[in-house]
Amino acid sequence: PCPMLRALPRTPLRCLWTSRHPQSSSSPQTRYPAMLGPQESPPRLKPLVAVAQVTSTPDKERNFASCSALVREAALRGACLVFLPEGFDYIGCDPTQTLALAEGLDGDLMGRYAELARECSVWLSLGGFHERGHDWATTQRIYNCHVLLDPAGKMVATYRKTHLCDVELPGRVTMRESSFTNPGSEIVAPVETPAGKLGLSICYDLRFPEISLALRGAGAEILTYPSAFTFPTGSAHWEVLLRARAIECQSYVVAAAQTGQNHERRTSYGHSLVVDPWGAVVAQCCEGIGLCYAEIDLEYLHRVRREIPVSGHRRSDLYGTVGL
């Protein structure tokens, strides 16, 4: 375990924690009444979210076993919402295998995750499902789909990745997501959850602040970026981009990530984390498969927004008019 402390301006010191899998299902937090002043009451419990870090392979059964174990552990620790990363279902060795393993949202795997949500009575953010959509028969291409399930196993939102990752870093990383994936055509409205209003994105979307600002404008309080960053890009840009999105949108940012060697030609960066609306990293995974946890403090979020009301200061009348 990697204990972490959260210290924020004008807020109490609070303990957050991470776990390496497997772990016991003991209580995630211990309260210390002796630390309270004579007139103070114990702090009110806030919604707890769990952020998973996994190493998906082309073996779908192995991946489901790993992810479902983490979801059950998070539920036992009291999380109301569990985040899984992009490619939680699998990461193929090449586009041909990736296409062959894909399923529809009405397929067996999504049905198993719906049953898992019901069994554990938790919300599941399934970030980056390889979806055979309605046009599969004609396009032979898939969608990268972020699925949100409620505790009844109901699919309450689906967001299809709009920005596809085509990257060429000579000698380091080559990705051509657009060669086998269709881009999504819309941003999905934030969804009310027990932890707050959740805005859905996926991985490469992180590099485009326009989508996060649009979600913030639509009422999002939590932005989520389930990801599978490579090592070269992750080590350079992962944390700074996530913190930037949190600061400019004054929102919690939750980013579940792939970690380690997915197959012999791919290694993922990891470092799943949660950033608060002030831009502080309040929870982060260590190396390997595991979970980190964070409380979502919406009172604090709205205080940050009141004290620096950037949303009300935006000059939408000017943006997009440069040189016109």
Side-chain angles (χ1 to χ4, degrees):
C2 302
M4 302 180 67
L5 293 178
R6 176 193 190 209
L8 300 176
R10 304 179 300 283
T11 60
L13 191 66
R14 190 184 310 180
C15 181
L16 295 173
W17 58 95
T18 61
S19 70
R20 295 285 297 272
H21 186 66
Q23 274 285 355
S24 70
S25 58
S26 58
S27 172
Q29 190 173 26
T30 302
R31 305 282 181 184
Y32 297 97
M35 296 175 64
L36 299 174
Q39 304 301 320
E40 293 181 272
S41 300
R44 184 169 57 187
L45 292 178
K46 298 176 177 64
L48 182 72
V49 300
V51 188
Q53 184 161 280
V54 305
T55 306
S56 293
T57 70
D59 186 337
K60 294 168 74 172
E61 285 300 317
R62 175 182 171 185
N63 299 335
F64 180 76
S66 178
C67 289
S68 60
L70 291 173
V71 170
R72 291 188 178 97
E73 179 182 341
L76 285 170
R77 288 175 174 245
C80 65
L81 177 55
V82 185
F83 295 84
L84 295 179
E86 182 182 35
F88 69 95
D89 50 350
Y90 63 89
I91 291 183
C93 294
D94 54 47
T96 299
Q97 185 180 51
T98 298
L99 291 171
L101 292 172
E103 298 183 18
L105 293 178
D106 58 352
D108 174 70
L109 186 60
M110 194 53 64
R112 294 165 74 181
Y113 275 99
E115 177 58 34
L116 181 65
R118 288 191 292 269
E119 173 194 331
C120 296
S121 295
V122 295
W123 288 71
L124 292 180
S125 164
L126 306 175
F129 177 75
H130 297 85
E131 178 202 2
R132 290 190 180 185
H134 65 281
D135 53 0
W136 165 255
T138 55
T139 67
Q140 294 295 292
R141 295 158 66 89
I142 60 175
Y143 292 90
N144 191 338
C145 185
H146 187 162
V147 179
L148 186 64
L149 301 178
D150 71 11
K154 179 183 177 183
M155 198 176 298
V156 295
T158 54
Y159 163 74
R160 292 167 180 87
K161 189 176 184 182
T162 51
H163 301 95
L164 302 182
C165 186
D166 289 355
V167 174
E168 180 71 45
L169 301 178
R172 295 185 291 168
V173 176
T174 299
M175 298 185 70
R176 290 285 183 271
E177 190 175 17
S178 67
S179 68
F180 58 90
T181 305
N182 292 315
S185 59
E186 63 177 350
I187 301 172
V188 176
V191 179
E192 188 75 60
T193 77
K197 293 180 181 177
L198 184 64
L200 307 183
S201 297
I202 303 172
C203 198
Y204 193 58
D205 289 330
L206 174 61
R207 295 185 180 274
F208 302 88
E210 295 87 351
I211 187 171
S212 61
L213 290 169
L215 289 167
R216 163 70 173 91
E221 296 163 319
I222 306 168
L223 302 172
T224 182
Y225 297 95
S227 297
F229 261 60
T230 63
F231 226 91
T233 56
S235 57
H237 302 149
W238 174 247
E239 183 176 317
V240 68
L241 282 171
L242 291 166
R243 294 183 68 192
R245 299 294 86 83
I247 293 167
E248 69 198 7
C249 295
Q250 298 176 312
S251 300
Y252 279 93
V253 166
V254 178
Q258 292 282 339
T259 186
Q261 189 164 357
N262 305 106
H263 50 72
E264 57 187 33
R265 293 196 300 278
R266 180 190 172 89
T267 301
S268 296
Y269 180 65
H271 297 268
S272 298
L273 55 78
V274 180
V275 187
D276 76 6
W278 190 253
V281 176
V282 296
Q284 186 167 8
C285 284
C286 301
E287 298 300 322
I289 296 170
L291 293 159
C292 64
Y293 299 84
E295 290 178 332
I296 302 299
D297 187 344
L298 294 182
E299 289 184 8
Y300 175 64
L301 177 146
H302 292 295
R303 195 180 87 206
V304 169
R305 291 181 176 183
R306 285 194 307 271
E307 292 177 354
I308 309 180
V310 293
S311 181
H313 296 159
R314 294 198 182 283
R315 290 296 307 274
S316 300
D317 58 317
L318 297 180
Y319 307 147
T321 64
V322 176
L324 297 180

